[in-house]
């Protein structure tokens, strides 16, 4: 207690204790969250830019905890990754997403796809592909309607296993999307060697596409490159009508963002389908 002031030592303890306490608390809540049924999927429409029609929806995870309130994924996915809890949680997400999409097809008579985010640790788990196949079987959803979104960071590890898993998923008919495209330090060459179907341009590029010439140039270049490689393009974070005009002119295939709809709880999404698709 004699050492006051900013010694390196005294600077650390109080905050670190607080952070690790909060972490431990959250981890212990998270361990029980699954059986308590605290996770919920929201769905955000993905729209054909030209026709304005719905093609699929992205499943986005929410955690409703009594003590913590609604926790957004940016706050708990990293911890779920570190603890390995992402593996059972991620499996649940894929099962629920497949069931939901099968249900939309029953309700509307139209095939509607579902896109699911896959985190690196989940993807590398040896049971991953089997879990995906089981979810498809159990739901009766056709593989072509399931899309897996994988970030560039994962792809860049460049391992043989990554390539093998991607090929296996591709052969089964599942669609593969590069998520957050443009935010990693991509070598781009992976686009040629891996069986991706779609690039999703990160919202950080779409945000200022009308005001920043550089962002507009990048988006244009990404769309041209993707198309010449036979890939479809999704723009995420579309918030204003003027952005949709730009994306239409630049032949961006699909769009997603608050302009069309925020992510919705399943029942609200079904209602959205009802008012927008008939
Ligand atoms: P992401 O995959 O890039 O998802 C897009 C995020 O942008 C979502 O945030 C979505 O709500 C938000 N968004 C959608 N439209 C707009 C818009 O027009 N403007 C703006 N500013 N934002 C928009 P959310 O739901 O908080 O998810 C954050 C991230 O958490 C996701 O980023 C994804 O990486 C991760 N995530 C979400 N659900 C899952 C999941 O089930 N599994 C895994 N592994 N990760 C998930
Ligand atoms: Ca995503
Ligand atoms: Ca494919
Ligand atoms: Ca993103």
């Amino acid at each position: 207690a004699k050492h006051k002031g900013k010694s390196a030592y005294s600077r650390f303890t109080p905050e670190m204790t607080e952070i690790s306490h909060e972490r431990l608390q959250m981890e212990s809540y998270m361990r029980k969250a699954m059986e308590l049924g605290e996770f919920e999927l929201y769905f955000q429409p993905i729209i054909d830019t030209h026709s304005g029609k719905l093609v699929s929806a992205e499943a986005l995870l929410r955690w409703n905890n009594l003590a913590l309130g609604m926790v957004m994924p940016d706050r708990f996915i990293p911890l779920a990754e570190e603890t390995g809890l992402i593996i059972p949680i991620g499996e649940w997400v894929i099962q629920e997403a497949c069931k939901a999409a099968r249900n939309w097809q029953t309700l509307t008579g139209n095939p509607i796809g579902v896109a699911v985010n896959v985190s690196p640790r989940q993807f590398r788990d040896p049971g991953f592909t089997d879990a995906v196949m089981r979810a498809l079987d159990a739901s009766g959803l056709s593989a072509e309607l399931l899309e897996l979104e994988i970030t560039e960071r994962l792809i860049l590890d460049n391992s043989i296993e990554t390539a093998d898993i991607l090929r296996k998923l591709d052969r089964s008919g599942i669609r593969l999307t590069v998520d957050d495209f443009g935010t990693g330090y991509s070598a781009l060459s992976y686009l040629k060697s891996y069986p991706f179907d779609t690039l999703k341009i990160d919202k950080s590029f779409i945000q200022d596409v009308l005001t920043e010439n550089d962002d507009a140039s990048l988006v244009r270049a990404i769309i041209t490159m993707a198309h010449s490689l036979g890939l479809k393009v999704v723009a995420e974070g579309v918030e204003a009508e003027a952005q949709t005009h730009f994306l239409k002119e630049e032949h961006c295939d699909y769009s997603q963002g608050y302009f069309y709809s925020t992510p919705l709880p399943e029942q609200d999404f079904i209602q959205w389908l009802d008012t927008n698709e008939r």
Side-chain angles (χ1 to χ4, degrees), residues 165-233:
I165 298 165
L166 290 173
R167 276 189 213 107
K168 194 168 168 199
L169 294 166
D170 177 57
R171 274 199 307 269
S172 76
I174 292 166
R175 314 279 169 184
L176 299 170
T177 294
V178 182
D179 205 354
D180 295 345
F181 186 79
T183 60
Y185 299 92
S186 38
L188 292 180
S189 53
Y190 72 85
L191 290 177
K192 197 175 63 169
S193 41
Y194 291 164
F196 283 102
D197 302 289
T198 308
L199 292 190
K200 186 179 273 196
I201 306 177
D202 193 68
K203 58 177 177 284
S204 55
F205 296 98
I206 304 302
Q207 216 155 39
D208 300 322
V209 84
L210 300 171
T211 49
E212 298 287 331
N213 280 330
D214 290 350
D215 287 342
S217 303
L218 278 169
V219 169
R220 242 180 240 123
I222 292 170
I223 295 170
T224 306
M225 176 197 65
H227 285 166
S228 68
L229 291 170
L231 298 163
K232 300 281 191 193
V233 184

Side-chain angles (χ1 to χ4, degrees), residues 43 92-106 114 135 138-141 266:
F43 296 97
W92 179 88
V93 169
I94 294 179
Q95 287 167 3
E96 291 304 303
C98 289
K99 270 194 259 173
R102 185 67 190 79
N103 185 36
W104 306 333
Q105 187 166 11
T106 306
V114 72
S139 63
L141 186 74
E266 189 171 0

Side-chain angles (χ1 to χ4, degrees), residues 16 41 56 71 79 134 144 156-157 165 175-176 201 210 219 224 237 251 272:
M16 282 191 45
L41 287 184
S56 59
V71 193
L79 186 59
R134 275 201 309 274
E144 290 72 29
L156 290 176
D157 83 346
I165 298 165
R175 314 279 169 184
L176 299 170
I201 306 177
L210 300 171
V219 169
T224 306
H251 306 288
W272 187 94

Side-chain angles (χ1 to χ4, degrees), residues 63-74:
W63 175 21
N64 306 298
N65 178 270
L66 215 51
L68 303 171
M70 183 190 288
V71 193
M72 298 300 276
D74 285 336

Side-chain angles (χ1 to χ4, degrees), residues 58 117 149 179 200:
E58 179 174 6
N117 293 286
E149 299 196 356
D179 205 354
K200 186 179 273 196

Side-chain angles (χ1 to χ4, degrees), residues 69-90:
M70 183 190 288
V71 193
M72 298 300 276
D74 285 336
R75 243 183 97 203
F76 70 86
I77 296 280
L79 186 59
E81 276 255 315
E82 277 171 50
T83 55
L85 286 167
I86 193 66
I87 291 162
I89 296 172

